[in-house]
């Protein structure tokens, strides 16, 4: 999906999202400076840079208050540093009194069933204002919906950020009918109970908020602070209520009473709007509207008021959850609201009406009066729990029964290493309490290890492979950062491939049916992507990560007595320090490059990086042959030199060999590098840090540093461009095993190469595999390659390192039973035939299928 020429259709009403005319407000940093005292001292209220640095360290590096006070109590420390505080209490007083920050928490009591419960929450409108006006987001905010297309004819629609989905467009239309010129703020709420201790079973129930105006690439990074902790809900289980049904009903009513209190200001703000200033000072009439609810399956049921084993979004019967074709319409919100309106008609009438509408008899659910809100539409796909922790977890259990746990584990232990592959040297079938990350790591090789495995009763493996392939393809397609109307069809095809072949698990005696809510949930993914944008707009993975910063770390900072009061105060102080740090950076460096928004794409934007100095300065040619396995290094380099010396000549193979035979290498050793790295690029201009996204190792066996063990040799395989390859597809690419990464000594370069055709600094000796076949295997979708042998010897060449596009992972053709003498370290040498793994990351999935 190339996106060089995006056609953008703006929302037809030019008044939507436009700033209010008139005098603009100060930008957020200027306003902050005024609130903080606007001193010439940029660190104020701290007296100096060191005063500020110590305060920042104390609040962001999490030493205990007692430890910090003890440090400052050491004779001379506070005086020599000239600090304005002498203990934690004085520092806290400065922060509380003199630093502006995000909204403060309030503590209130909610009465349910005659019992009072504490809730700690912030003003939701002020929280939205805080995010909307954050200067770090000022350049990136989105104010109105758009339709994006990949072609001039506008036939291929694109979906990525929330403003490209249909919900924002339709809601903008509905608002404009009432009062044009609105700026919608899509409110995204997520709630999830989490354990904050390892042993005492102490829990917290945080509710998080973010807004859809912030691009998803920023929202999904915890370090960018685009989520705000909105509330801590009561964690009681109401165990004093003996009747289980009554207890469940009371828990649901408590949850909705608390959420109603927290979200109540949205009722008037959403309809009437309120003036807000973004980080650059521009003022708009903003309408914060509840758009998305993010949570796992129990949270979705609780929010929607739906019974377990039912879909929280649609009315499909529970015995048809396994169907890929059964009629399933979004639940009728009007019928539900009519049922809820009968609460004053008596318990029996209310309960019966709710049952007929398909929901539990919840007293005033929090979404009942929220404007432009449909909770059944607002519940979003949950990649983490529905796919990784749901269907993939089920699939692993099914495959262990079908293929045999011992054989699956044996294959896991014999996979070759790769940057993207975690080697499970103890296998995967005996692992318990796997995280979503670990399930993701297993998915990268799961299909490859079962390709030719033997099934019970000698059943053909074709249906099993297609079922697993369908589920994995769906998993990878569902996580595309940008979808088109074409890729959404692929999503439906992948789901259909699983459903068309799932009966293999019934034939194997593993399943009786597939009435799993999480399996049914994937039917809603395509429509939800069209509605709210791609799934990385609303993934529960992000809130799971927020638990660490905003719940678990906060709890550890308390003395575990009346902890929520301490947790909220700790968080407020930390947020103030982070905001002040943001302001100081702005004061020190006010010049920023203008931001140009660009849609995400599936291209591989990254930078090749080599170390400044070689890993080994002088490796002899005999050592290259014996330790690196570069058997024909001299011959390959001579052929490369011959081609560079005669760039205009088209060599036959024999002619090239004859010319190469006359070339003498004027050196006995070369500098060698053991690693190639690729770094990410900040492709969308969000100021993201550079990280290593891929690497290739080519290093011989060596002694371990701290033990008597030997670290085995590792020579990775790579996808190599012959000069004609493009960004997507395999045409112009071939696979090779990188044996040596080296440079030719500078003195020899001048002797061997003409001045107009000097070689690149970094070259690689690679052993080739056979070219890609015309099509992949129709059962599992992977290409099969073998060692490229000529006259009984491996064929090798010298290539520029810049021709190496990326690492590639080869899965051995194990056969019915894996040879036990194969190991992860020797399998590339022992095995002759391999399958090219297309699941190691998103780019390989797009390129190698």
């Amino acid at each position: 999906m190339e996106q060089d020429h995006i056609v953008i259709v703006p929302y037809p009403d030019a008044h939507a999202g436009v700033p209010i005319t008139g005098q603009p407000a100060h930008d957020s940093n200027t306003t902050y400076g005024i609130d903080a005292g606007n001193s010439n001292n940029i660190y104020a209220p701290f007296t100096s840079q060191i005063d500020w640095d110590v305060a920042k360290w104390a609040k962001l590096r999490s030493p205990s208050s007692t430890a910090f006070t003890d440090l400052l109590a050491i004779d001379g420390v506070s005086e020599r540093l000239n600090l304005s505080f002498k203990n934690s209490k004085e520092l806290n007083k400065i922060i509380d009194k003199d630093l502006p920050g995000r909204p403060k928490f309030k503590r209130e009591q909610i009465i349910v069933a005659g019992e009072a419960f504490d809730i700690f929450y912030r003003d939701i409108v002020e929280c939205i204002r805080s995010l909307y006006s954050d200067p770090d987001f000022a350049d990136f905010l989105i104010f109105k919906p758009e339709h994006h297309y990949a072609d001039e004819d506008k036939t291929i629609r694109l979906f990525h950020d929330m403003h490209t989905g249909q919900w924002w467009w339709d809601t903008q239309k509905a608002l404009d009918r009432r009062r044009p010129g609105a700026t919608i703020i899509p409110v995204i709420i997520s709630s999830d109970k989490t354990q904050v201790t390892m042993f005492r079973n102490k829990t917290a129930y945080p509710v998080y908020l973010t807004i859809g105006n912030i691009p998803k690439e920023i929202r999904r990074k915890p370090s960018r602070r685009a989520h705000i902790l909105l509330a801590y809900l009561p964690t009681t289980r109401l165990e004093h209520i003996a009747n289980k049904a009554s207890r469940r009903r009371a828990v649901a009513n408590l949850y909705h009473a608390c959420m109603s209190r927290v979200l109540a200001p949205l009722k008037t703000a959403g309809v009437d709007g309120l003036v807000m200033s973004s980080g650059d000072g521009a003022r708009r009439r903003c309408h914060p509207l509840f758009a998305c609810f993010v949570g796992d399956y129990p949270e979705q049921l609780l929010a929607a008021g739906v019974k377990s084993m039912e879909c929280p979004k649609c009315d499909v019967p529970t015995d048809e959850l396994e169907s890929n074709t059964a009629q399933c319409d979004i639940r009728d919100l009007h019928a539900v609201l009519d049922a809820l309106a009968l609460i004053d008609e008596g318990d029996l009438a209310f309960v019966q009406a709710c049952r007929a509408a398909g929901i539990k008899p919840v007293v005033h659910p929090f979404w009942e009066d929220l404007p432009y809100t449909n909770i059944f539409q607002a519940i979003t796909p949950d990649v983490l729990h529905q796919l990784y922790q749901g269907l993939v977890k089920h699939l692993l259990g099914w495959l262990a029964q079908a293929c045999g746990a011992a054989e699956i584990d044996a294959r896991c232990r014999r996979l070759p290493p790769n940057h993207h592959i975690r080697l499970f040297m103890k296998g995967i079938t005996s692992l318990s309490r796997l995280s979503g990350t670990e399930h993701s790591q297993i998915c990268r090789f799961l299909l490859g290890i079962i390709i030719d495995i033997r099934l019970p009763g000698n059943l053909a493996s074709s249906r099993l492979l297609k079922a697993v392939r369908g589920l994995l393809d769906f998993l990878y397609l569902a996580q595309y950062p940008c979808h088109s109307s074409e890729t959404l069809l692929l999503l439906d095809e992948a789901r259909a491939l699983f459903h068309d072949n799932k009966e293999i698990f019934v034939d194997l005696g593993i399943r009786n049916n597939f009435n799993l809510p999480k399996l049914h949930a994937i039917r809603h993914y395509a429509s939800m992507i069209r509605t709210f944008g791609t799934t990385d707009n609303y993934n529960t993975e992000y809130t799971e990560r927020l638990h660490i910063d905003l719940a678990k770390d906060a709890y550890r900072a308390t003395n575990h007595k009346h902890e929520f009061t301490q947790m909220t105060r700790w968080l407020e102080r930390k947020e103030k320090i982070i905001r002040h740090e943001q302001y100081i950076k702005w004061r020190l460096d006010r010049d920023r490059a203008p931001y140009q928004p660009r849609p995400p794409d599936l291209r591989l934007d990254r930078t090749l990086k080599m170390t400044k100095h070689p890993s080994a300065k002088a490796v002899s040619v005999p050592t290259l042959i014996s330790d690196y396995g570069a058997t024909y290094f001299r011959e390959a380099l001579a052929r490369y030199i011959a081609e560079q010396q005669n760039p205009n000549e088209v060599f036959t193979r024999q002619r090239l060999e004859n010319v190469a035979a006359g070339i003498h290498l004027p050196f006995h050793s070369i500098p060698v590098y053991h690693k190639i790295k690729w770094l990410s690029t900040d492709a969308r201009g969000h100021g993201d840090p550079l990280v290593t996204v891929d690497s290739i190792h080519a290093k011989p066996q060596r002694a371990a540093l701290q033990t008597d063990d030997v670290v085995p040799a590792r020579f990775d395989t790579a996808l190599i461009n012959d000069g004609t390859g493009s960004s997507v597809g395999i045409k112009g690419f071939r696979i090779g095993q990188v044996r040596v990464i080296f440079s030719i000594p500078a003195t020899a370069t001048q002797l061997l190469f003409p001045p107009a055709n000097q070689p690149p600094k970094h070259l690689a000796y690679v052993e080739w595999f056979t070219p890609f076949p015309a099509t992949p295997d129709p059962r599992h979708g992977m290409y099969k390659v073998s060692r490229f042998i000529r006259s009984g010897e491996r064929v090798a060449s010298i290539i520029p390192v810049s021709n190496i596009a990326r690492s590639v992972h080869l899965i051995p053709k194990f056969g019915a039973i894996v040879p036990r003498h194969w190991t992860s370290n020797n399998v590339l040498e022992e095995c002759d035939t391999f399958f090219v793994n297309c699941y190691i990351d998103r780019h390989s999935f797009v390129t190698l299928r």
Side-chain angles (χ1 to χ4, degrees), residues 99-106 120-133 209 225 227-231 568-569 571-573 575-576 579:
L99 285 183
R102 284 179 168 176
K104 288 181 176 293
F105 280 90
K106 296 181 283 187
F120 294 80
Y121 71 101
R122 292 161 145 161
D123 185 323
I124 187 171
V125 169
E126 292 307 311
C127 288
I128 293 168
R129 194 187 299 275
S130 176
L131 288 174
Y132 183 80
S133 65
L209 173 143
R225 299 176 61 248
H227 285 79
I228 190 166
L229 179 66
L230 181 60
T568 53
R569 194 175 297 137
L571 181 61
E572 287 170 1
R573 288 167 180 159
E575 288 174 340
K576 286 183 174 185
R579 179 64 184 94

Side-chain angles (χ1 to χ4, degrees), residues 297-364:
Y297 182 62
E299 289 292 317
Q300 292 177 357
L301 295 180
L302 188 59
V306 174
K307 293 179 182 178
S308 183
M309 286 303 295
E310 293 184 357
C311 175
K313 293 185 66 65
C314 74
D315 56 5
V316 66
T318 53
D319 59 353
E320 293 188 20
L321 288 171
E322 65 180 348
S323 173
N324 192 39
T325 56
Q327 182 77 17
C328 60
D329 299 316
I330 293 291
R331 292 177 185 271
D332 187 343
L333 178 65
H334 297 295
V336 170
L337 292 177
D338 289 344
L340 293 171
L342 298 177
I343 189 168
D344 296 327
E345 301 295 321
D347 283 352
L348 183 60
F350 178 58
V351 170
Q352 289 176 342
C354 288
R355 184 183 297 122
I359 64 163
K360 294 179 180 178
V362 177
V363 178
H364 297 305

Side-chain angles (χ1 to χ4, degrees), residues 689-716:
L690 303 184
V691 295
T692 301
V693 293
D694 198 5
S695 66
I696 287 175
H697 297 254
K699 56 180 71 171
Q701 177 179 293
R702 64 198 186 280
L705 292 177
Q706 298 178 348
T707 65
D708 296 332
D709 296 337
V710 171
V711 179
R714 176 174 168 182
F715 300 101
D716 289 348

Side-chain angles (χ1 to χ4, degrees), residues 238 241-253:
L238 301 178
I241 302 177
N243 184 281
K244 289 184 178 180
S246 299
R247 186 192 309 156
R248 284 195 297 268
R249 184 172 176 179
V251 166
N253 286 330

